[in-house]
Amino acid sequence: MIEYRTLRIALLGAGSVGSQVAGLLLRHGEELATRVGARLELAGIAVRNLDSPRDVELPAELFTTDARELILGADIVIELMGGLEPAREYIALALSSGADVVTGNKALLAHHGPELFDLAEQVGAQLYYEAAVGGAIPIIRPLRDSLAGDRVDRILGIVNGTTNFVLDRMDTGGDDFDDALATATALGYAEADPSGDIDGYDAAQKAAILASLAFHTVVPLSAVYREGIASVTAADVESARKAGYVVKLLAICERVIDAETGVEGVSARVHPALVSRQHPLAAVRGANNAVFVEAQAAGSLMFYGAGAGGIETASAVLGDVVSAARRHVVGGPGVAESTSADLPVFDIGKVTTRYRVTLEVLDRPGVLAHIAGIFSDHGVSVEAVEQSASDGEGGGTATLVIGTHTATEADLSATAAALAAADAVVAVQSVLRIEGE
Amino acid sequence: MIEYRTLRIALLGAGSVGSQVAGLLLRHGEELATRVGARLELAGIAVRNLDSPRDVELPAELFTTDARELILGADIVIELMGGLEPAREYIALALSSGADVVTGNKALLAHHGPELFDLAEQVGAQLYYEAAVGGAIPIIRPLRDSLAGDRVDRILGIVNGTTNFVLDRMDTGGDDFDDALATATALGYAEADPSGDIDGYDAAQKAAILASLAFHTVVPLSAVYREGIASVTAADVESARKAGYVVKLLAICERVIDAETGVEGVSARVHPALVSRQHPLAAVRGANNAVFVEAQAAGSLMFYGAGAGGIETASAVLGDVVSAARRHVVGGPGVAESTSADLPVFDIGKVTTRYRVTLEVLDRPGVLAHIAGIFSDHGVSVEAVEQSASDGEGGGTATLVIGTHTATEADLSATAAALAAADAVVAVQSVLRIEGE
């Protein structure tokens, strides 16, 4: 019988992920010990309310409301309480005391990542966060380590399960947005207040984390452009399908060359986008997540799996716990987060993309020429126009679907604004970007 | 200007991957230095023949034929020469001298992995091998680290690009095997002697590596069951398509419960298999690779990308080089390979699967009952039978396609042997396993 040293693990939070992490640590402790070379002892679980119901039955004596005391006696601290405070304060306390920290708190990392990574580096500890993006999908470690010798050009991520479920229902079932969201809520894929998912806040936090990691550059959450999916209509989805596209909420992180200065920078944005049905991301169904990475040497890679769920996300947390424990066993300081490239972070105006614009226009001679003129006045080249008589109640109107060539977002959005203001345009029905080409 | 310490890198081999690795190290040296915190100096490239042509133009003064001298002066040794000897000897020399080693040599790892990992552990060095499986796809690190806190139940891998290209041509173009292979050769997807790929040797090596890693158990190459794709016919592919399947060469590593003893073990096997068109692996086209992982907590994950190619595989090598370099910078010994579980390795007989058997039988009364009796005599339950008159030249024969329920491979293969020996059976046209359900 081998005698192992013991590593003390403090768990903060016992929600859907935390309670599963505790359960796995207790059930698989022996197996993990032989993998790590140390016994992983769950020293305690700090919660706000000792009497809250838990998804997993756990020994009552593990629970405490004194997070600080628990943290100060731990080698590894797992933060799964969520929110900004006191999570930030507790992580800082843990790192300062020399403990490694494992977190799945994307909001905290998007807001306070740089200060926490700096603190970890100063004390030689390490902050792990595989569970913060893509649930069970290993994406942080591949970006951080496997692609560390390569140059990532672009990431296209389906990183929010709720919105992918809603858009998939709209695509496959023909539902409108409200019905699809109601189904998502009924099935537990959407929260009671779904705005954090639907409006793209969750995806934007993940975009900030992915962009910072992939480009070795601090990309603050405030620099992430964000549009949600609430304005996507059944008609948009149907029209996209006919044209060979599927609508997905994408988190897009990419290198961008400033057309005016030639300077290379990075950008991060979240918005609904048209994706070709031939693209691997088009096949990501239901509440699944996938991250598609384009790197200069590696080419195209995709990482696919469950983007949420208590037990699934617990797998990612435990992977980090094992990494932290192995590091404790072999010794030596943690590896600092690399922000060495420090590239300029551009706003969305400098991004180049393509638009697919659907307009309701007055059905009279000269309108098409007028509309085409608005595009060319803004330096945007039209690739294709499709005109059909409107079947609405408007009478005397027609529907125009215009696809553009690649142009800067600034020119494209100015074009869209000018279209909205044009007399001949009754309504701008939708403006969707085409991505993944 | 920061002054970095220098890490000396020795490269063994300058073939399609090696020359790209050298090119990337030279071109991106400065960028990598800021990520690592050390300068990565390509100290030299050991080759057999100084005058061989290279894919990438490299400074002549880097080349040497004296591998030993180069190795003994290096902090990190990259072995990309392939083959068993002298690669094994050089890696052992490098590890013994305290250098970390990065290799893409799957044959060597499949044959001598355990002894090399032991040696690395003894001296506190580390042996990295992300490039050995799946080319550019990060799969070693996710299995080793991200899923280290989980339990992998099964891996289904498309890990050989040549065979996937050939089978994809047969599926989408209706080519027969010889034509598809000729196309693969013409396009550079198959080597002049394609037997290592076509007969499944390459995939079997990768299966041994994946199974050892995923199950924390040494799975020797000799324990990997292997069948190639040379006997897959256009008729098999067409029949599979009509039934909603696609034929893929899979490397399958899984936990298996011995039906007789109840003991849990692991198995690894490589053979053509029928995969449902709804399965994510069915969409892996051309020479691409993908590894589908089923884990107890994480659920289903898939890792997809280019499985071969000089520059693509060089990305995986450089990721390992950066990991090794970061480890040198922070100090401390390497993390040993975990074989802690030490599960029994079963041969394919204990595996349970389903068969789809196509028979040419005499078209006379009582034959179906006779055939059905052969299945039931071996304890194999028939799920579906499809009979059609043969359109061949046989006259008086019919084609029977029989799908079975799940049974042990031992029972299924005994059934297949009995069918081949039955008087009523003119020919066993194909026996294919159904996987991924």
Side-chain angles (χ1 to χ4, degrees):
Chain A
M1 185 71 197
I2 303 171
E3 282 285 335
Y4 292 117
R5 65 181 281 196
T6 295
L7 294 172
R8 289 172 58 85
I9 298 177
L11 175 61
L12 313 181
S16 63
V17 181
S19 59
Q20 295 286 358
V21 166
L24 289 170
L25 274 172
L26 295 173
R27 281 206 306 283
H28 296 165
E30 212 163 312
E31 188 169 343
L32 293 175
T34 63
R35 288 187 200 167
V36 169
R39 212 164 71 79
L40 303 182
E41 181 196 331
L42 181 56
I45 308 172
V47 294
R48 227 160 307 183
N49 182 346
L50 294 174
D51 301 321
S52 295
R54 314 288 169 201
D55 292 357
V56 176
E57 201 172 322
L58 298 167
E61 66 270 22
L62 285 176
F63 286 88
T64 173
T65 56
D66 190 343
R68 289 162 180 286
E69 196 199 339
L70 187 63
I71 290 166
L72 292 174
D75 299 296
I76 298 169
V77 174
I78 306 172
E79 185 276 305
L80 294 169
M81 52 199 308
L84 298 186
E85 293 291 354
R88 189 203 57 76
E89 180 198 336
Y90 289 162
I91 290 180
L93 178 67
L95 292 171
S96 302
S97 79
D100 280 350
V101 173
V102 175
T103 181
N105 192 329
K106 55 200 166 276
L108 181 61
L109 290 172
H111 282 96
H112 296 295
E115 87 186 59
L116 294 172
F117 291 121
D118 281 352
L119 177 58
E121 186 177 2
Q122 283 165 32
V123 301
Q126 192 149 344
L127 178 56
Y128 298 85
Y129 55 102
E130 185 63 74
V133 181
I137 307 170
I139 180 60
I140 300 300
R141 206 170 263 105
L143 281 175
R144 181 192 164 99
D145 296 329
S146 306
L147 290 165
D150 205 335
R151 296 185 110 196
V152 174
D153 279 330
R154 187 190 292 173
I155 295 173
L156 300 174
I158 295 173
V159 292
N160 181 272
T162 306
T163 47
N164 202 58
F165 181 89
V166 168
L167 291 171
D168 190 33
R169 288 286 297 192
M170 294 174 72
D171 183 55
T172 57
D175 294 17
D176 69 18
F177 173 79
D178 290 332
D179 287 344
L181 178 57
T183 303
T185 307
L187 295 176
Y189 291 118
E191 294 179 35
D193 174 4
S195 57
D197 295 313
I198 295 301
D199 296 338
Y201 291 99
D202 173 82
Q205 290 166 356
K206 292 165 177 168
I209 294 169
L210 291 175
S212 297
L213 183 63
F215 303 127
H216 307 273
T217 290
V218 175
V219 177
L221 181 57
S222 58
V224 181
Y225 174 84
R226 181 188 54 73
E227 278 175 43
I229 66 163
S231 62
V232 176
T233 65
D236 291 338
V237 172
E238 179 61 19
S239 165
R241 174 215 302 285
K242 284 183 183 157
Y245 296 107
V246 57
V247 180
K248 294 288 188 190
L249 183 72
L250 295 185
I252 303 171
C253 312
E254 59 188 342
R255 290 182 194 268
V256 173
I257 307 290
D258 184 333
E260 286 168 28
T261 64
V263 170
E264 183 184 68
V266 300
S267 98
R269 53 196 166 109
V270 170
H271 54 70
L274 299 172
V275 176
S276 162
R277 296 211 172 245
Q278 305 305 313
H279 195 284
L281 286 173
V284 178
R285 305 286 309 279
N288 284 306
N289 279 197
V291 181
F292 190 84
V293 178
E294 297 170 22
Q296 285 178 20
S300 296
L301 302 169
M302 192 169 84
F303 305 82
Y304 164 93
I311 184 80
E312 293 86 350
T313 307
S315 170
V317 171
L318 276 189
D320 280 351
V321 169
V322 168
S323 287
R326 285 177 175 160
R327 202 181 78 64
H328 272 268
V329 169
V330 301
V335 175
E337 204 65 8
S338 164
T339 54
S340 53
D342 201 16
L343 296 167
V345 180
F346 293 151
D347 75 20
I348 193 172
K350 295 194 192 302
V351 165
T352 62
T353 182
R354 289 174 58 206
Y355 270 14
R356 189 165 190 267
V357 182
T358 306
L359 304 173
E360 189 186 355
V361 298
L362 297 177
D363 192 6
R364 64 185 188 203
V367 165
L368 182 56
H370 179 58
I371 300 286
I374 293 175
F375 281 87
S376 66
D377 287 351
H378 290 87
V380 176
S381 173
V382 170
E383 189 203 21
V385 180
E386 196 185 310
Q387 178 160 2
S388 55
S390 173
D391 55 4
E393 295 160 21
T397 68
T399 300
L400 270 189
V401 179
I402 299 160
T404 76
H405 283 292
T406 301
T408 66
E409 175 73 27
D411 289 343
L412 287 163
S413 64
T415 306
L419 290 168
D423 288 344
V425 174
V426 178
V428 178
Q429 289 174 331
S430 81
V431 177
L432 285 165
R433 297 174 190 88
I434 301 171
E435 302 289 343
E437 300 188 303
Chain B
M1 185 70 199
I2 304 170
E3 282 287 333
Y4 291 118
R5 65 181 281 195
T6 295
L7 294 172
R8 287 171 61 84
I9 297 177
L11 174 62
L12 313 182
S16 63
V17 180
S19 60
Q20 294 286 357
V21 167
L24 288 170
L25 274 173
L26 294 172
R27 281 208 305 284
H28 296 165
E30 211 165 313
E31 188 169 342
L32 293 175
T34 63
R35 288 186 200 168
V36 169
R39 211 163 72 80
L40 303 180
E41 181 196 331
L42 181 57
I45 307 172
V47 293
R48 226 160 306 181
N49 183 347
L50 293 173
D51 301 322
S52 296
R54 313 289 169 200
D55 291 359
V56 176
E57 202 172 320
L58 298 166
E61 65 271 21
L62 285 176
F63 286 89
T64 174
T65 56
D66 189 344
R68 290 162 179 286
E69 195 200 337
L70 187 62
I71 290 166
L72 292 174
D75 299 296
I76 297 168
V77 174
I78 306 172
E79 185 276 305
L80 294 169
M81 53 199 308
L84 297 186
E85 294 291 354
R88 189 204 56 77
E89 179 198 335
Y90 290 163
I91 289 180
L93 178 67
L95 292 171
S96 302
S97 79
D100 281 350
V101 173
V102 175
T103 180
N105 193 330
K106 54 199 166 277
L108 182 61
L109 291 172
H111 282 96
H112 298 295
E115 86 186 59
L116 294 171
F117 290 121
D118 282 352
L119 177 57
E121 186 177 2
Q122 283 164 30
V123 301
Q126 191 149 347
L127 178 56
Y128 299 85
Y129 55 102
E130 185 63 74
V133 182
I137 307 170
I139 180 63
I140 300 300
R141 205 170 264 106
L143 282 175
R144 181 192 164 97
D145 296 329
S146 306
L147 290 165
D150 205 336
R151 295 186 111 196
V152 174
D153 279 330
R154 188 190 291 173
I155 295 173
L156 300 174
I158 295 173
V159 293
N160 180 272
T162 305
T163 47
N164 201 58
F165 181 89
V166 168
L167 292 170
D168 189 33
R169 288 286 298 192
M170 293 174 72
D171 183 55
T172 56
D175 294 16
D176 68 18
F177 173 78
D178 290 333
D179 288 345
L181 178 57
T183 304
T185 308
L187 294 176
Y189 290 118
E191 293 179 36
D193 173 3
S195 58
D197 295 314
I198 295 301
D199 296 337
Y201 291 99
D202 173 82
Q205 291 166 356
K206 292 165 177 169
I209 295 170
L210 290 175
S212 298
L213 183 63
F215 303 127
H216 306 273
T217 290
V218 175
V219 178
L221 181 57
S222 57
V224 180
Y225 175 84
R226 180 189 52 75
E227 278 175 43
I229 65 164
S231 63
V232 176
T233 65
D236 291 339
V237 171
E238 179 60 19
S239 165
R241 175 215 302 287
K242 284 182 182 155
Y245 297 108
V246 58
V247 181
K248 295 288 189 190
L249 182 73
L250 296 185
I252 303 173
C253 312
E254 58 188 344
R255 290 182 194 267
V256 173
I257 306 290
D258 184 331
E260 287 168 28
T261 63
V263 170
E264 184 184 66
V266 300
S267 98
R269 52 196 166 110
V270 169
H271 54 72
L274 299 173
V275 176
S276 162
R277 295 209 174 248
Q278 304 305 313
H279 195 284
L281 286 173
V284 177
R285 306 286 311 277
N288 284 307
N289 279 197
V291 181
F292 190 84
V293 179
E294 297 169 22
Q296 285 178 19
S300 297
L301 302 169
M302 192 170 82
F303 305 82
Y304 163 94
I311 184 81
E312 292 87 350
T313 307
S315 170
V317 171
L318 276 188
D320 280 351
V321 169
V322 168
S323 287
R326 284 176 175 161
R327 203 181 77 66
H328 271 268
V329 170
V330 302
V335 175
E337 204 65 8
S338 164
T339 55
S340 52
D342 202 15
L343 296 168
V345 180
F346 294 150
D347 75 20
I348 192 170
K350 296 195 192 299
V351 165
T352 63
T353 181
R354 288 173 58 206
Y355 270 13
R356 188 165 191 269
V357 182
T358 306
L359 304 173
E360 188 185 355
V361 299
L362 296 177
D363 193 7
R364 63 185 188 203
V367 166
L368 182 56
H370 179 58
I371 301 284
I374 294 175
F375 281 88
S376 65
D377 287 350
H378 291 87
V380 176
S381 173
V382 170
E383 190 203 20
V385 178
E386 195 184 312
Q387 177 161 4
S388 55
S390 173
D391 55 4
E393 294 159 21
T397 69
T399 300
L400 272 188
V401 179
I402 299 159
T404 76
H405 283 292
T406 301
T408 65
E409 174 74 26
D411 290 342
L412 287 164
S413 64
T415 306
L419 289 169
D423 288 343
V425 175
V426 179
V428 178
Q429 289 174 331
S430 81
V431 177
L432 285 166
R433 298 175 189 87
I434 301 171
E435 303 289 344
E437 298 188 302

